[in-house]
Amino acid sequence: MADVAPPIQHSTSQVVHPEIHDHGDPMDIRVDHKYLCMETAGSFVGPVLVKEFMKRFLNIPGRRRKTPRADFSNVLKGTSNADMYDSLISAIKKSKICPRMVFRRLSSITQDDMALRPDLAGFDAKDGEPSDNANIWEGLRESEGGGTKFLGQMIHYVREQMSHQHRVFMFSLHTVHDSARLIRWDRMGAIVTEAFNFVLQPQILAEFLFRFSLLGPEGRGLDSSVELAGPEECHEFTEAVANYLDSFGERKPPHFDSTLDTSYPTCKILFCDSCNGERSSFIVRRPFSEIPFPCGRATRGYIAWDVGRKKLVFLKDTWRPEESSRLSEKEAYETLAEHKVPYVPTFLIAEDVRSSTGEPQRTMTQDYSDIPFGSRCAHLRPHIHHRIVQELALPLVMMRRSKQLVQAIRNTLVAIQAAYQDAKVLHRDISMGNIMLDSNLNGILNDWDRAIRLSVSEEHHAARTGTWRFLSIEQLRSETKAHEIHDDLESCFWVFLYAALHHFRHQPVPFDMYVFEEVWDRKDKDGTIHFFGGGWKRAALSLGQITDLKFDCAPLTEAIHHVSSIFEEFHGSAAGSSSSDYFGMRARAARAKAHAEMEDPSPLIKFLDAVLDREDWPQEDDAVFDPYPPPKVQSPRKEEEDSYSGQNSLYNNSDHSPSPIANSDKAPEACDSQPLISEDRLGYTKHDAMISQPQPTAPQAVAVAEYSFPLALTSEQMNGKPSRTCDATCIGKRLAPGSADYATDEPKAKLPKLATP
């Protein structure tokens, strides 16, 4: 469900992502700012000229009024942070540069449940003064330490804002002492301006604040296709979700209960079908699955209330790569439906999200990628906002019996076969997060956002794609191997084994789960790091580690052993194939025959049908508590993009997710190795592979910042009242004069080479 590249700045092209098991809140984590820096390294572009930045992103058509003069010299004279905030508020109010906003220092607003708090916020003036108990969902906590922490703190703020709101982009104002930069964030990264002295050049900051205050919600980055839900819609949504959750009794699907989190605003998402013009609306609150990183596919999964059909559905919100060789998820499901591929979700509506002008909502950071900030950029490519609505499904972890697991694997194989043979499509991301259960607990194959047509060039087939834990041995051993059907079939086996080990009694215990987590890296002279694995999987097959397993359920044991023997024989056929003599030629011929036989999974499907017909299946629920809990680590790492895209995963799709395998096509420089944990959108517990953790590479100048001033729009929801918008300018602790200087070794500001429309 997600593209995940290795956690390195100059990695080779690959898109794989990890999965994890964890039953806690996916966003309730102690954020490690070093990881946030690492996951966004290579995503900063610039510096661009301030004039060019304002002209393109803060243009006010028909503007006649001149920008008022402002004096910010008193901001640095305060003896405390509070004095500094008050001085800035006073300067803004006195100059009248933000006539449509009311600024307030938030240190007096107490909110025990918030670990992140903005120090200063600007509210829309039409909403009046914010109350003392304003439910601000985010903030900026003071920290001490090096530049990486403060860059990470700024990224953390952006992450929270993007998480709680429906946004296309947002602005930040970053300062160090008397120097400042303007930053525009979207799902591909951040565009950074040249530094300017806001005390000696107050007109620049005044111009920015003045223009920002004149922009409408869409100009400030809010999604024009989303609005606040009305009281009656809120009530219908809350009642429907509560009843749905109650229907499961004590064993609720992981994370589904977070849907009713009242700290999130209740919103209405508007759809317009491009084919028939039919309009639909869906009520959502908090996503039960999302990627906790600001850049990437940013996939969010919602339980949504379909206002027209009066029923609960699944709504997936993501950012897809804008590439002609890739199918959008809508196109993938239309192709599958056209060829009557079975055991896939029922999709109701899907569209690229459009702005108020009718243009698709797309990222812009990649337009400036020829101006890398401080170091070479990651591979930045345009992404388009995409939504899809499906019938609700359940994560595979909700199975109750071993027979349901075997049935789900069998159904998945049938879907893979039909998609390959009839629709000429490969799924390319078989994982625990993507094999799901319908309302009757029958297996279905979800999340076709990585699907690719068989007719596309071999170059596109050769990008390593999928979930690291379940990749085939050949994919783990080569970064450039073309994706074939047998890779999906083998991934299906590793999911089968993984789920069986986690949920059904077996001997011997414990099984060595490193089989799924193995990863090692090799660093080239130019700093490029390559990730590999598969050795332990190969050994587990050839040394009988899997066939030694005995499950309490005899049919399950038979199924695991038989499927294991198929892939043991398949990989054994590679022996001697590299030899140049006669025996090597014979071995290669045998290998080619084995590959050809694997293109048709019919014999395997027939075998599983026979196993399912056995009469000695347990008649009662035999799923057990997971005997392999996730390892405890200090902090998780990415998202997406693309780590989560389906109903089941928490990290399945983003171009950013925890790694080996950071979920993006871009990544930072790495050193050291340690286990990390990430979470699948379904909330399924997952152990992440051993990964090489990069030393964060922060944008030069920004990295030395003691504090940042993000300018943002936040939301609050007070005692059931409609959420209000808050334009927040967060100010942090200032540096002593001379302790940091933006001008040192600063890249020269440039004009971008923009693509011709």
Side-chain angles (χ1 to χ4, degrees), residues 624-637:
V624 299
F625 180 77
D626 190 348
Y628 299 99
K632 293 182 179 180
V633 295
Q634 290 187 341
S635 55
R637 281 198 32 183

Side-chain angles (χ1 to χ4, degrees), residues 172-192:
S172 289
L173 172 63
H174 185 82
T175 72
V176 174
H177 189 47
D178 56 0
S179 294
R181 294 181 188 271
L182 309 178
I183 306 176
R184 181 193 183 276
W185 302 79
D186 62 25
R187 293 305 185 177
M188 267 294 93
I191 302 168
V192 186

Side-chain angles (χ1 to χ4, degrees), residues 62 200 202 267 273 323 454 498 563 596 621 641 700 734:
L200 299 180
C267 296
D273 194 313
E323 296 178 0
L454 299 182
Y498 189 82
V563 182
D621 295 353
E641 152 201 35
Q700 67 186 84
R734 62 186 174 90

Side-chain angles (χ1 to χ4, degrees), residues 499-519:
L501 290 169
H502 275 281
H503 294 286
F504 299 98
R505 289 190 179 89
H506 59 274
Q507 295 293 334
V509 176
F511 183 86
D512 190 350
M513 302 301 284
Y514 187 66
V515 164
F516 301 97
E517 318 304 339
E518 178 204 7
V519 60

